Amino acid sequence: MSGQLATRSARPNGLAIAGSLVGTAVVATALNAVIAVIARAAGASDDFQPLHLSAYAPLTVFGVLIGAAAWAIVRARSARPAGLLRTLVPVVVLVSLVPDVLVGASDSKPGTSWGAVIALMVMHFVVAAVAVPAFRRFLPLDGDQG
């Protein structure tokens, strides 16, 4: 009996998952704030609204929540979730850059510069870099070692 307990993977409860989601969103938002500060220090205009906390914080939280939901769906429905996510995550991150590129190419927002747009693009990678390890920890895939 104790051998069975030792081999079972612990599944976090709803409260633990919610807390982990909040923590993931907070860390990703804090790191994105650092990127925004660096971008402005490097010359990005204060007029470029997407580098304001009020613009990127909700989108960062939304990205973490949608990412977790998609991760959970793939985890629950795929026969090989790790392999699927190894392909899906980079593709989704790359597709998420398209609106940023369009903003840069169209120069449609006040204060637009390619430096500011690149900072936004880096933010997408930061969210993925924070979220994926967190998801692997609190929404583990079969065979994950933690």
Side-chain angles (χ1 to χ4, degrees):
M1 179 81 163
S2 63
Q4 270 185 328
L5 292 176
T7 60
R8 278 190 196 158
S9 65
R11 297 287 184 191
N13 65 30
L15 186 58
I17 291 172
S20 296
L21 282 170
V22 168
T24 302
V26 166
V27 169
T29 301
L31 291 173
N32 281 345
V34 171
I35 292 166
V37 167
I38 291 169
R40 283 195 294 278
S45 174
D46 284 335
D47 293 337
F48 190 64
Q49 287 297 314
L51 288 180
H52 288 236
L53 181 66
S54 60
Y56 64 78
L59 294 172
T60 299
V61 171
F62 181 72
V64 168
L65 294 176
I66 292 299
W71 185 280
I73 290 167
V74 168
R75 176 179 175 246
R77 298 189 183 249
S78 175
R80 298 179 54 207
L84 179 56
L85 288 166
R86 237 184 326 275
T87 301
L88 193 57
V89 169
V91 168
V92 168
V93 171
L94 289 174
V95 168
S96 78
L97 301 177
V98 170
D100 296 343
V101 171
L102 294 175
V103 166
S106 69
D107 197 23
S108 61
K109 296 190 181 293
T112 298
S113 68
W114 279 106
V117 169
I118 289 169
L120 288 179
M121 295 167 84
V122 169
M123 288 178 173
H124 291 250
F125 288 99
V126 165
V127 172
V130 170
V132 168
F135 298 163
R136 287 189 72 162
R137 175 165 284 196
F138 66 85
L139 294 170
L141 305 172
D142 289 337
D144 263 359
Q145 299 300 322

